[in-house]
Amino acid sequence: MSTESSPPQSDYLQRVRQLIELAIRRRWSEGLITRDPDGVFTAFLGSDHVEKLLHPAGSETVPALATDFTYHQHTPLGRLIQEYGIGPSEGDLLALLLALEIDPAVARLVSYLGGNQSQFSLTLDLVFEIVYRTRAAQQDMAAALMHHDLAAHHRLRRLRYLILDGADNRVALAQGIRMAPRLVSWLLGRRELDPELTALANLFSAEAPVGECDPESLDTAMAAFQRGGRLLLLVGPPQSGREMLLRFAAAKLGRPLLVAQARGIGPDRMVAAFREASLQHALLAFYDGDEAIEGETGHRFRDALAAFPETVAVIGSGRSAPTLGQLRPMTTIKIAVPLHRERVRLWQTFLGPDTALSEDELHQTASLYNLGIGGIVAATTRAVEMATFAHKRVDRSHVAQAVRQLFDADLSAVATRMEVTQDWSDLVLPDDIGESMAEIIQRIRFRSQVLGGWGFARKLGKGLGLTVLFSGEPGTGKSMAAGLIANELGLDLYTIDLARVTSKWLGETEKNLARAFDAAEAGHVMLLFDEADSLLAKRSGNIQSSNDRHANLETNFILARLEQFTGIAFFTTNLPSAIDPAIARRMSLHINFPFPDVEARTLMWQRLIPKEAPADEAIDFQGLAERYELSGGFIRNIVLRAAYRAIRDGDVIRTEHLQRAAEVEYRERGLLVAGGRLT
């Protein structure tokens, strides 16, 4: 812990004691406090006790109060007073509040001055008695309340350096005033990040980070901070290097950088972030800054911004730009993901020469992960650390795991990572569907070269992502196909949990979907919207309730988001006719999984029994396929039932076990006859 020595007694504690003594003697002389020698009538401190607290050495001489007193600039309190341009009376107020927090004698004297009724509590009445009346006997309390540091609009109040208790239920002079605990710890020399912010903010030292940034963007950011009083909006996809640019700017300016997460920060911590940046003399930035302007947190953001003279950076998507532009003059910097060839260079540079990735694997890595400089630096750093720990060279598995860690937190709130244990031999598809699967894999593998290197992105303009609609009856292999594609490419597949995405609160569903789409756009994952009928449902032309209007808004959001989506997403449905036609048109591919015929069903019966399982070689797979018209999902259930029946009987899996299991499956679905098509 880094600390500075606290201010000496001769500086502020002695002056506070002088101020309190003058106030006590004044109230004694005015008869506002009974000068009870031993405290019998006051039941607390007597005047003799007070004299001993005021003069521990025994001298009762009242010291002269210097009217031109200034607090030493080498102390934290003196520096704070100088930097904020705080006047003499307000400087005495801060000294009094600090002394009250750390000196028991001062706390007892203040309580005595207040009539022993509110122990260790400082009211505005006592503040005026100790500070303002001592400096000017005719000080107007109302004027002091309106025009000094106690006024609600003042910077010390807005940034919660000073806290007023009871402002809503007490008259002004009865309100309590205290110094924020964070300011107390700061003035006592504790320089680490405010514990209230440790879970939501990072404080970076004034050192240049590992990486690189665009010189023109760096000059623009530095100019915005140097000018002050502006908002600096950094727009770009996740991990594109927005935070890195701010760290380079802070290093150039020789100042630390405080980056706070706006999502979930809450009103009080929002103000604490402004206060901490001011205390640390740090540049201030809010990540996911679009969230900073909403609700009660947004009100606090505006209030604190009005009291914060420096430029504040906002890292976001840009949707909040119109609102932010009304608060302050704004500078916008757009940071794009580099082209494929530039990403190859970045991966090669930051992985270093000691990597197991071949030239082809580097090109594939740059194609699969649509990351900017920030993400590439973070991923390579983590990959190298993992490989070093395992005493290996960096390979594709290290890179994949490192990239996953970058975005897992964003996705885990709305999605679940899907582990794929099957291989292509477990999926039985017609030849034309198999060709479509191969086409999808090639489109994902080479999309960076085609869209970027070959210039198709410039020609197409929008709709550059790959969105695939899989339709077909349940159990035909739609979800498995998406998993196998992800496994083939070495990508993670996240299944969107629609129960966690959808919300009854207006706009929350769209926010959750935006979070999932934003994370997927970096190219590190594939999204699977399983059973997406409700999400992609047709819009209602006859709006009769707020539910209809809300559903239409969600569909409109999906339409707009698909236009701008650059990632990979799969949607599955059993009812393609229920999907809004406009959404269906925006899908890159629409593949219908047919109900399996006899030949396909025969292969499914065979392949769903593992090689390790004891099975009769004479199982009549052809007969089972002809008798039972089942999709792959039902066949899987039946095979598993039969395996448990066989092990219960102490036997191998036979045709009879499979038939009995099929009969139970039909009966459970409400059919009395085991045979024919089951859907």
Side-chain angles (χ1 to χ4, degrees):
M1 178 186 298
S2 173
T3 61
E4 297 180 11
S5 60
S6 59
Q9 290 269 351
S10 59
D11 181 18
Y12 78 101
L13 286 179
Q14 181 177 339
R15 181 167 180 81
V16 168
R17 286 171 178 263
Q18 291 175 348
L19 291 167
I20 294 175
E21 180 172 0
L22 290 171
I24 289 175
R25 296 191 185 280
R26 187 166 53 247
R27 287 204 165 182
W28 278 345
S29 66
E30 294 173 352
L32 297 177
I33 301 178
T34 301
R35 192 165 183 173
D36 177 15
D38 54 13
V40 172
F41 295 103
T42 58
F44 187 63
L45 289 178
S47 58
D48 291 346
H49 299 108
V50 172
E51 294 286 3
K52 290 179 181 178
L53 288 173
L54 291 172
H55 304 285
S59 171
E60 296 187 13
T61 304
V62 181
L65 184 70
T67 57
D68 58 348
F69 180 86
T70 57
Y71 291 89
H72 293 301
Q73 296 180 8
H74 71 274
T75 65
L77 179 61
R79 286 200 298 272
L80 179 71
I81 291 172
Q82 181 188 33
E83 289 177 4
Y84 276 59
I86 294 173
S89 294
E90 288 70 37
D92 287 343
L93 168 62
L94 291 177
L96 171 62
L97 291 171
L98 179 60
L100 189 65
E101 294 281 348
I102 65 174
D103 190 334
V106 168
R108 288 183 173 87
L109 289 169
V110 168
S111 182
Y112 175 79
L113 184 62
N116 301 327
Q117 295 180 9
S118 53
Q119 192 173 17
F120 304 151
S121 176
L122 183 65
T123 62
L124 294 186
D125 175 47
L126 295 181
V127 167
F128 293 128
E129 186 69 40
I130 297 170
V131 175
Y132 294 98
R133 283 195 63 190
T134 299
R135 282 190 166 274
Q138 303 302 320
Q139 175 73 52
D140 179 32
M141 294 185 181
L145 182 64
M146 293 299 297
H147 300 298
H148 290 85
D149 286 15
L150 303 184
H153 67 274
H154 195 278
R155 185 180 181 186
L156 293 180
R157 285 281 306 280
R158 282 186 163 177
L159 299 185
R160 290 181 65 83
Y161 287 94
L162 304 181
I163 302 172
L164 260 64
D165 296 321
D168 295 331
N169 53 22
R170 300 181 202 166
V171 297
L173 294 180
Q175 294 171 17
I177 183 171
R178 56 192 171 93
M179 183 176 283
R182 174 53 183 157
L183 183 55
V184 175
S185 65
W186 174 268
L187 293 176
L188 293 179
R190 296 181 176 89
R191 295 295 182 261
E192 66 272 16
L193 184 65
D194 184 355
E196 191 176 358
L197 295 172
T198 50
L200 291 164
N202 288 314
L203 182 65
F204 298 101
S205 63
E207 297 179 359
V210 175
E212 56 189 63
C213 66
D214 175 50
E216 184 177 347
S217 298
L218 178 60
D219 290 341
T220 303
M222 289 178 59
F225 283 116
Q226 288 171 323
R227 186 169 182 178
R230 302 182 67 82
L231 282 169
L232 176 62
L233 179 61
L234 291 96
V235 179
Q239 299 293 337
S240 58
R242 297 166 295 178
E243 182 182 292
M244 182 177 293
L245 174 64
L246 293 178
R247 291 185 64 185
F248 272 109
K252 285 280 189 179
L253 296 171
R255 295 177 60 182
L257 171 68
L258 178 66
V259 181
Q261 173 61 255
R263 183 189 302 157
I265 193 171
D268 291 338
R269 288 194 178 100
M270 171 63 72
V271 179
F274 278 92
R275 182 182 62 208
E276 189 68 12
S278 187
L279 289 174
Q280 300 279 3
H281 195 54
L283 304 184
L284 177 61
F286 288 98
Y287 198 83
D288 283 337
D290 299 323
E291 308 272 346
I293 62 173
E294 299 178 352
E296 180 61 26
T297 302
H299 293 311
R300 291 291 185 90
F301 175 82
R302 291 169 172 82
D303 196 47
L305 189 66
F308 192 77
E310 299 204 42
T311 292
V312 176
V314 175
I315 302 172
S317 64
R319 64 181 173 86
S320 60
T323 303
L324 291 171
Q326 297 175 9
L327 302 179
R328 277 187 177 185
M330 189 167 64
T331 299
T332 302
I333 299 177
K334 294 184 178 181
I335 301 179
V337 172
L339 296 176
H340 177 263
R341 59 178 177 274
E342 178 65 10
R343 294 204 301 275
V344 172
R345 182 191 70 81
L346 292 171
W347 280 105
Q348 196 168 30
T349 299
F350 294 106
L351 281 174
D354 189 24
T355 176
L357 270 71
S358 65
E359 189 71 24
D360 287 343
E361 287 177 323
L362 282 171
H363 279 267
Q364 290 180 16
T365 299
S367 296
L368 290 176
Y369 304 123
N370 196 34
L371 296 175
I373 176 65
I376 292 175
V377 170
T380 52
T381 301
R382 296 186 186 190
V384 170
E385 289 175 352
M386 286 186 284
T388 302
F389 181 79
H391 303 290
K392 296 180 179 179
R393 299 173 68 197
V394 180
D395 57 27
R396 291 185 64 179
S397 66
H398 298 126
V399 171
Q401 188 174 352
V403 175
R404 179 190 308 150
Q405 292 175 3
L406 292 180
F407 298 94
D408 195 57
D410 286 333
L411 283 166
S412 59
V414 294
T416 303
R417 184 168 172 265
M418 181 177 171
E419 294 287 347
V420 181
T421 58
Q422 302 100 329
D423 57 36
W424 287 107
S425 65
D426 297 313
L427 183 64
V428 179
L429 294 173
D431 292 341
D432 57 337
I433 303 297
E435 292 174 3
S436 297
M437 298 298 107
E439 180 188 353
I440 293 172
I441 292 171
Q442 298 307 315
R443 288 185 68 158
I444 297 173
R445 182 167 285 159
F446 300 114
R447 65 183 185 136
S448 291
Q449 291 97 313
V450 172
L451 295 176
W454 290 10
F456 276 87
R458 176 175 51 82
K459 286 289 185 182
L460 298 176
K462 59 183 181 180
L464 302 179
L466 180 65
T467 51
V468 182
L469 178 62
F470 286 163
S471 62
E473 294 188 33
T476 51
K478 301 183 294 296
S479 299
M480 184 191 294
L484 292 174
I485 291 171
N487 204 35
E488 175 79 13
L489 294 165
L491 295 175
D492 291 325
L493 179 66
Y494 280 80
T495 302
I496 300 298
D497 187 345
L498 295 181
R500 282 188 282 173
V501 168
T502 54
S503 171
K504 65 179 181 179
W505 303 110
L506 187 63
E508 285 301 312
T509 300
E510 289 82 349
K511 281 186 185 178
N512 293 335
L513 287 171
R515 188 184 311 175
F517 279 123
D518 288 345
E521 279 183 324
H524 77 294
V525 299
M526 289 168 43
L527 297 181
L528 174 61
F529 293 83
D530 212 358
E531 307 296 341
D533 311 316
S534 60
L535 191 65
L536 308 179
K538 292 179 180 178
R539 287 165 291 182
S540 174
N542 183 22
I543 298 177
Q544 298 181 350
S545 68
S546 59
N547 290 336
D548 295 335
R549 187 179 298 107
H550 194 179
N552 282 1
L553 288 174
E554 292 177 5
T555 304
N556 290 337
F557 171 81
I558 292 286
L559 280 169
R561 199 64 180 82
L562 290 179
E563 289 281 355
Q564 304 300 324
F565 185 56
T566 59
I568 308 165
F570 289 80
F571 301 83
T572 70
T573 178
N574 304 325
L575 297 170
S577 60
I579 293 178
D580 192 278
I583 291 180
R585 285 196 304 271
R586 283 166 174 77
M587 293 290 171
S588 306
L589 296 168
H590 181 182
I591 300 173
N592 181 57
F593 283 65
F595 193 88
D597 57 16
V598 172
E599 182 181 354
R601 294 199 297 272
T602 302
L603 290 174
M604 289 178 185
W605 282 105
Q606 292 174 339
R607 294 179 181 179
L608 279 171
I609 298 179
K611 294 179 180 179
E612 299 86 350
D616 184 6
E617 295 182 358
I619 292 178
D620 185 9
F621 294 114
Q622 178 79 19
L624 291 168
E626 291 175 350
R627 180 176 180 182
Y628 305 114
E629 295 183 53
L630 301 169
S631 64
F634 287 120
I635 295 175
R636 180 193 60 189
N637 294 344
I638 292 170
V639 168
L640 190 60
R641 282 179 183 270
Y644 282 111
R645 286 178 175 273
I647 200 170
R648 182 196 62 188
D649 297 341
D651 197 359
V652 299
I653 301 173
R654 301 182 183 277
T655 303
E656 294 77 11
H657 294 124
L658 295 168
Q659 289 174 335
R660 286 198 295 270
E663 292 171 0
V664 174
E665 190 75 18
Y666 272 84
R667 189 165 58 247
E668 287 183 353
R669 305 293 171 177
L671 297 178
L672 299 179
V673 178
R677 187 163 182 168
L678 180 60
T679 61

